[in-house]
Amino acid sequence: MSIFGNRRRRRLDPRSTGELLSQFTDLDGIPTSTPAPEGDHTDEPTRVPGRRERVNQATAPRQGPREPGRGWAAVDAARRAPVYKATTAEVGGLFPLLASNGVPAIGARLGYDTQSGGAFYVHPTEWVLRGMVTNPNLVVFGEPGRGKSSTVVALMLRMMLFGVRSLISGDVKGEYTPLLRSLGITPIALGRGSHHRLNALDLGPLRGRWHTWSAERQNEELTGILARWTRLLTALAEAQGYAPTVTDELVVSTVLRRLVGAADGYTQLRPITIPQVVAQLADPADDLWTQTRFASHRQFVDHTRQITDALSNLVVGPLSGLFDEPTNFDLDWDAPVQSMDLSLLRSRGDQAIAVALTCLGSWSSMITDLQDDGDVRIVVRDEVWRQMRLGLRAVQAVDSDLRLSRAERKIQLLVMHKPSDLLSVGAAGSQEVSIAKDLLALCSTRILLGQSTRVGDELAEELGLSDREQAVITGWAMEGPGRALWKLENTPGMKIQTVLSSTERSIFDTNSGLRDTPTDRQPTGGGPADRRRRLTAVPATPPTHLDHSEDSDDSDGSAEAAHAVADAVAPERRNGAAVHR
């Protein structure tokens, strides 16, 4: 006998489907019992002894109920179960494999999210307006060959459909030139063998609009331009190994104001060049050294000798003739994309490229600031670490452009290989390194392509990545090009696969330099030494015969793809067709 007495265990009857649904849903007007088959009006179905009855009974004919004017329906709308409503915690337990990519379906469709399987859209300015990020800037990290250039070019090309123009402020390797040529745009090439010249102190649209502005507007615009020029010249002097002082900045600003004609009553601005600035510093007028509060002509010359010599190297050094003459080309700002090709400067050394990037950055910022079209522009800064190696002022210039991106309606896009590129801009613990490391905080969107384990550790430390996010970079992203972890500030990263069309793949081929020389490209000489052999891919299975028709089809297909992009995006445009001499 039990110590609890002789209690009879109560038998719990199973609850019906209607009772279960009534506890979670609103069943007002919705039948919960299985309807009787048509023609059967008996209250109880006929049971066959010894036969197991089916629990699931058909609620509709095999082809579904028929509705007038709508044909057969798979499920009767009157007997359709209502939507189950629950909290997110409960739904996550019931359907643990459901996920979303977390970004709205607006902007350029770049690829797909491998976790949710949905399409992935990119629109940095829309992300700012929706409060997803705090600034529209992007930074791209990735090893060579992982798809950095193709991702950037695909983003620029597809954002053109939304009225977003692009400016490539210094194409160091010439990777973006095929895109421009496929769109019918001739890129501006600077360097050996090119007739193009860019005045680093070019007035641009400012000179033509000067007489239409009030005196207050003139003073405001000129103050900004002179400040930008002063930062540029002092940064170029710092690149030569001289650290300009505050007095040097005052002298340079005064010289620029006098040369541009602002001291003559703001009647008309005069174009100036770097050689004119050097001449004023080397042989100053009496009123110049008096205005800058020097005791004598000799004291002025002695104090400004170092900055004068540093700027003179731009006139007689490896960059002579590139940025010290008047600009002889006109950019078509109505074109969807513009580029400055610096691939011809590689033979002059890294410092020459860094100085060119600094000049282009200052010039392009001023020109785009003076555009009144109100369009949003993507400014691509490829290998920006080269520019920041020039010194503190070069780093400060990049920092200023990133901070003013929202006000200036720009999307700054930095392209680098690894985080240690930012640490190489100065000595350990220097102010340059501190500012450079903070640049990552000014880029809300981080695009992290495949990296080695060592670089993955650096990214995890600098960006605060989790172990799973770091594993994505060093594992999944290394298995194919175009795979990247997209991380929007502190939100969890998304595994995105960039998808390129056949047309885009033919244009974005960064390995074209390793392939065979095209048949239409003739060697420079007739000897065997002039014929440079290039690498070719060996097929896995040797071909049994050669079909020349297929080769011709492939070459024609590439040309047709390029023309298709040009016709779809923009009409034919040409830059620098008429050279101003």
Side-chain angles (χ1 to χ4, degrees):
M1 182 176 182
S2 173
I3 60 175
F4 298 103
N6 189 12
R7 294 195 312 175
R8 294 183 60 185
R9 180 171 297 180
R10 182 180 177 183
R11 183 177 180 181
L12 298 178
D13 296 331
R15 289 175 291 179
S16 63
T17 304
E19 294 176 348
L20 290 174
L21 291 177
S22 63
Q23 297 180 6
F24 296 97
T25 56
D26 183 11
L27 300 176
D28 187 13
I30 299 178
T32 59
S33 58
T34 302
E38 297 181 3
D40 188 0
H41 300 284
T42 59
D43 296 337
E44 293 292 338
T46 305
R47 297 181 180 273
V48 179
R51 178 183 297 180
R52 185 176 181 181
E53 299 293 335
R54 291 183 57 186
V55 177
N56 300 329
Q57 298 293 336
T59 60
R62 175 171 296 181
Q63 295 180 341
R66 185 175 182 179
E67 298 182 6
R70 297 187 180 183
W72 297 94
V75 180
D76 188 0
R79 293 180 172 85
R80 189 176 299 140
V83 177
Y84 181 80
K85 299 179 180 180
T87 62
T88 55
E90 295 174 347
V91 172
L94 294 175
F95 307 100
L97 300 181
L98 293 182
S100 63
N101 53 24
V103 295
I106 184 172
R109 183 173 179 176
L110 198 63
Y112 63 91
D113 189 336
T114 60
Q115 293 176 322
S116 64
F120 180 72
Y121 298 83
V122 180
H123 203 307
T125 55
E126 188 67 24
W127 291 350
V128 174
L129 297 177
R130 298 188 178 219
M132 301 172 56
V133 295
T134 56
N135 60 76
N137 303 325
L138 303 91
V139 60
V140 182
F141 287 105
E143 287 186 347
R146 295 302 171 189
K148 293 191 306 297
S149 299
S150 59
T151 301
V152 172
V153 176
L155 176 61
M156 291 191 303
L157 181 62
R158 300 173 190 184
M159 288 297 290
M160 294 176 189
L161 302 177
F162 299 89
V164 179
R165 309 179 191 275
S166 300
L167 174 64
I168 304 167
S169 182
D171 185 4
V172 179
K173 293 175 289 187
E175 294 179 339
Y176 304 96
T177 297
L179 172 66
L180 272 74
R181 295 193 181 280
S182 64
L183 296 176
I185 304 172
T186 302
I188 305 300
L190 300 175
R192 179 186 58 190
S194 175
H195 63 273
H196 291 134
R197 298 294 182 267
L198 172 63
N199 182 15
L201 306 179
D202 189 28
L203 291 170
L206 181 64
R207 187 181 182 187
R209 302 174 185 175
W210 184 258
H211 64 281
T212 62
W213 291 338
S214 62
E216 182 180 1
R217 175 71 182 275
Q218 290 177 348
N219 186 34
E220 179 183 357
E221 294 291 344
L222 185 61
T223 301
I225 295 299
L226 293 179
R228 190 185 301 274
W229 285 348
T230 302
R231 290 196 302 267
L232 171 63
L233 294 180
T234 52
L236 296 179
E238 190 176 14
Q240 308 295 325
Y242 171 67
T245 62
V246 178
T247 304
D248 294 330
E249 295 182 1
L250 175 62
V251 171
V252 171
S253 178
T254 304
V255 170
L256 292 173
R257 182 176 290 272
R258 291 165 60 91
L259 288 174
V260 82
D264 299 338
Y266 300 88
T267 55
Q268 185 178 1
L269 297 181
R270 295 190 296 264
I272 61 177
T273 58
I274 294 180
Q276 293 177 331
V277 177
V278 174
Q280 286 282 329
L281 294 175
D283 187 15
D286 293 339
D287 56 345
L288 176 58
W289 59 264
T290 303
Q291 181 181 356
T292 51
R293 301 191 305 276
F294 282 91
S296 62
H297 180 278
R298 172 54 58 188
Q299 185 184 18
F300 180 93
V301 173
D302 291 342
H303 181 84
T304 60
R305 181 181 304 276
Q306 290 182 302
I307 190 173
T308 303
D309 294 341
L311 295 178
S312 298
N313 291 335
L314 300 175
V315 181
V316 299
L319 292 179
S320 60
L322 295 181
F323 301 100
D324 53 2
E325 296 181 9
T327 304
N328 60 356
F329 60 86
D330 294 328
L331 280 182
D332 183 7
W333 292 104
D334 293 331
V337 60
Q338 290 291 356
S339 174
M340 297 293 177
D341 192 344
L342 301 180
S343 58
L344 299 177
L345 283 177
R346 287 181 292 180
S347 60
R348 302 196 182 190
D350 290 341
Q351 188 177 18
I353 295 179
V355 172
L357 289 175
T358 304
C359 294
L360 285 177
S362 176
W363 177 81
S364 60
S365 297
M366 185 199 71
I367 297 298
T368 52
D369 289 347
L370 294 175
Q371 295 298 318
D372 294 336
D373 50 16
D375 292 338
V376 178
R377 279 186 170 84
I378 299 177
V379 180
V380 180
R381 313 184 78 141
D382 199 354
E383 298 191 14
V384 68
W385 53 271
R386 292 178 180 266
Q387 173 184 345
M388 295 190 295
R389 282 183 178 180
L390 294 180
L392 176 61
R393 287 172 175 81
V395 178
Q396 291 175 340
V398 177
D399 179 79
S400 177
D401 292 338
L402 292 178
R403 294 182 184 275
L404 298 177
S405 59
R406 288 187 301 176
E408 297 176 352
R409 299 177 61 85
K410 296 178 184 177
I411 302 173
Q412 299 285 343
L413 199 159
L414 310 183
V415 182
M416 290 178 282
H417 294 291
K418 53 188 181 301
S420 59
D421 294 339
L422 300 176
L423 303 179
S424 63
V425 301
S430 62
Q431 187 177 0
E432 296 94 316
V433 174
S434 299
I435 298 177
K437 292 177 63 176
D438 292 339
L439 294 180
L440 296 180
L442 300 177
C443 299
S444 294
T445 304
R446 294 83 181 260
I447 308 172
L448 311 178
L449 289 97
Q451 297 281 7
S452 62
T453 304
R454 181 181 60 83
V455 180
D457 295 338
E458 296 179 7
L459 287 171
E461 181 179 358
E462 296 294 336
L463 303 179
L465 303 180
S466 63
D467 294 339
R468 181 172 298 179
E469 292 173 338
Q470 183 178 354
V472 170
I473 301 173
T474 58
W476 173 79
M478 294 288 287
E479 297 175 359
R483 295 185 174 187
L485 180 74
W486 285 64
K487 190 170 179 62
L488 308 183
E489 291 187 345
N490 296 325
T491 59
M494 297 170 287
K495 297 169 58 176
I496 305 301
Q497 171 68 67
T498 301
V499 179
L500 303 179
S501 64
S502 58
T503 302
E504 292 172 332
R505 284 194 299 269
S506 64
I507 297 175
F508 305 163
D509 187 7
T510 56
N511 294 327
S512 59
L514 300 177
R515 306 185 189 280
D516 277 338
T517 305
T519 56
D520 57 348
R521 183 184 302 172
Q522 300 297 331
T524 57
D530 294 331
R531 301 177 182 272
R532 299 181 179 179
R533 298 186 60 84
R534 302 200 176 202
L535 301 180
T536 57
V538 179
T541 303
T544 56
H545 65 280
L546 297 178
D547 189 354
H548 297 284
S549 62
E550 293 182 359
D551 296 339
S552 61
D553 292 342
D554 292 341
S555 59
D556 295 339
S558 177
E560 292 178 358
H563 290 301
V565 176
D567 296 338
V569 179
E572 184 176 3
R573 304 178 185 274
R574 288 292 184 267
N575 287 332
V579 180
H580 304 283
R581 301 187 183 275

